[in-house]
Amino acid sequence: MTGAPDDLDLLAAGDPATPPQRLADIAARRHDLHAVIAANPSTYPELRQWIGQVNPGYAQQIAVPSTSVVPPYAGAPYGSGFAAPPVAPRRKGLGWIFAGCGCLTLVAGIVIAAVVIGGLGASTAGGGGSDGGRPTASTVDEQLAVIRTESTEYEKLAAQLDGNPVAPLVAQPTRFQRLQADAEALKASTALEKVRQAQARTLAERATKYRTDLQRLITAAEGRRANASGTSEEQLVDSAGNGFIDIQWNADSECRASENPESTTAGCVTNTPEQLIVHILPPEKRRGGDEAARLTTLHELAHLYQYTDVETTSDGEVGPAMKLKNAGLFQGSGEVMSDCYALTYLGLNSLTVGDVTLGYGYVCNDSERQAIRDWAKAIHAPMPG
């Protein structure tokens, strides 16, 4: 067996807390870890059987824990006979999402998995009968029909965000694309029928959750479309996100403090699947008046727009914002790009407002401002004139 101390697959293969679906994914591509996976008490019996078929040498070396309860099931490797199970191509994997979006996304993923696996555990523990008997749960075709229905409803909801610059962050279309790829792989799977049924239930539950998540976000946005504070900065946020972006005057508590003792953090953003928030300083703690507040708000909105690169590109592709930075514009910096968006929007030629200087010290030139205008038009971000 191979594996360095920082081999994440090795650590996950031996961890009883690893979701069964991830164990199946690791087993499909890491035959050197079959002994570890088979010894894991969270490994479901069908996966142990599959390991024994494709890799009997490793199966003979392990002691399989005895249990009278079928472990929670979250899917099995796809394949036919003893061949290595093929994996449907996906646009993004969980590792990519974690690297791009941070710990909150990973936690959200763990919560989702816990809900799905828990539900499946309850279903299988009730007794699934033999392979030839009548299944206790819905058939695979019925669950695939649920996925199709939920996909149609999801697309109708997502259409309500057409033209919204943060639509990719809210609707997260790549989630449904991955789910649909998994559903297509399930159709071609020749696994045991009860394995396919469990996998189909998992996919159907994911489809329902994605659709209800989006509906919840739309309902919340409808309640945020009025400028409750009456401020110019909230008006900027409302016009940008149509309620899907919130604004809070708590940057002093929610944002990371500046490492420079002579500087103060004026704003930051929260970007998670559950909420998009612009944080700025409360009026009593900021300097520069309303114009400084607008400059800060627009700077932070530009960060959210840049984050849409993640949800609108496939693996290995470069999004529109990154293309501009890679071309050498804005000194290659996302912060400077955000400054340039704010300056271009407000028609300013300086980052100094009254007695305070904001931003990152670089005032973009005319060609960079034109690039910002073109970028804003392409992603439907507000830009006067």
Side-chain angles (χ1 to χ4, degrees):
M1 179 180 65
T2 62
D6 58 350
D7 186 336
L8 298 182
D9 284 345
L10 172 60
L11 296 176
D15 186 353
T18 300
Q21 180 60 60
R22 187 178 179 195
L23 292 174
D25 292 340
I26 295 172
R29 53 187 168 77
R30 293 289 301 272
H31 286 213
D32 59 306
L33 297 180
H34 281 177
V36 179
I37 295 170
N40 189 323
S42 293
T43 299
Y44 49 91
E46 290 82 4
L47 180 55
R48 288 198 185 94
Q49 180 184 25
W50 182 84
I51 290 174
Q53 291 172 339
V54 301
N55 204 349
Y58 276 107
Q60 293 168 3
Q61 298 174 18
I62 56 179
V64 178
S66 61
T67 175
S68 59
V69 179
V70 178
Y73 177 76
Y78 298 136
S80 175
F82 296 165
V87 179
R90 300 181 181 183
R91 294 186 65 189
K92 295 183 176 72
L94 283 176
W96 189 92
I97 294 174
F98 175 74
C101 300
C103 299
L104 288 175
T105 301
L106 181 65
V107 171
I110 292 173
V111 172
I112 293 170
V115 172
V116 173
I117 293 168
L120 290 174
S123 298
T124 55
S130 64
D131 292 341
R134 183 174 180 178
T136 59
S138 299
T139 66
V140 171
D141 287 343
E142 289 172 336
Q143 297 290 8
L144 290 174
V146 170
I147 295 171
R148 289 192 295 271
T149 299
E150 293 289 8
S151 296
T152 299
E153 293 302 312
Y154 168 89
E155 290 168 0
K156 290 179 181 178
L157 292 171
Q160 297 182 35
L161 284 93
D162 285 351
N164 192 310
V166 294
L169 301 179
V170 177
Q172 300 179 75
T174 54
R175 294 199 309 175
F176 246 101
Q177 291 164 357
R178 289 193 299 270
L179 184 146
Q180 290 166 342
D182 288 345
E184 288 300 316
L186 178 61
K187 292 178 185 178
S189 172
T190 58
L192 296 174
E193 185 61 20
K194 65 180 180 181
V195 172
R196 297 180 72 246
Q197 289 167 4
Q199 179 69 6
R201 286 196 300 272
T202 300
L203 296 177
E205 290 177 11
R206 280 169 55 192
T208 299
K209 184 181 190 322
Y210 295 166
R211 189 263 307 161
T212 55
D213 283 349
L214 184 54
Q215 179 63 74
R216 174 177 51 80
L217 293 173
I218 289 173
T219 300
E222 291 170 350
R224 279 197 296 264
R225 286 173 182 158
N227 187 346
S229 68
T231 60
S232 59
E233 55 265 31
E234 183 170 357
Q235 181 59 41
L236 290 171
V237 170
D238 289 344
S239 65
N242 195 29
F244 289 97
I245 308 173
D246 195 7
I247 182 170
Q248 297 178 7
W249 291 263
N250 57 3
D252 52 333
S253 60
E254 295 299 317
C255 302
R256 185 176 59 190
S258 173
E259 296 178 357
N260 183 347
E262 297 181 358
S263 299
T264 300
T265 300
C268 63
V269 297
T270 293
N271 172 28
T272 74
E274 291 77 31
Q275 54 188 350
L276 303 175
I277 305 173
V278 169
H279 305 273
I280 66 173
L281 288 171
E284 67 273 13
K285 292 189 176 183
R286 67 184 182 224
R287 297 161 57 189
D290 289 344
E291 188 163 276
R294 288 193 295 270
L295 192 65
T296 300
T297 300
L298 290 165
H299 174 102
E300 301 305 337
L301 285 171
H303 276 302
L304 291 178
Y305 304 153
Q306 291 180 64
Y307 293 153
T308 63
D309 274 12
V310 172
E311 288 292 338
T312 56
T313 56
S314 302
D315 288 337
E317 292 183 355
V318 177
M322 186 57 70
K323 285 180 180 178
L324 296 176
K325 290 176 281 189
N326 286 349
L329 277 69
F330 322 117
Q331 299 184 327
S333 165
E335 297 289 358
V336 172
M337 185 174 182
S338 290
D339 279 348
C340 190
Y341 175 82
L343 290 170
T344 304
Y345 187 104
L346 295 174
L348 298 177
N349 294 305
S350 173
L351 290 166
T352 298
V353 180
D355 62 346
V356 63
T357 297
L358 300 165
Y360 286 79
Y362 175 81
V363 176
C364 52
N365 58 40
D366 289 344
S367 63
E368 289 171 317
R369 291 177 188 236
Q370 186 56 51
I372 284 288
R373 294 187 188 96
D374 294 341
W375 171 66
K377 182 178 180 180
I379 65 170
H380 310 291
M383 178 59 64

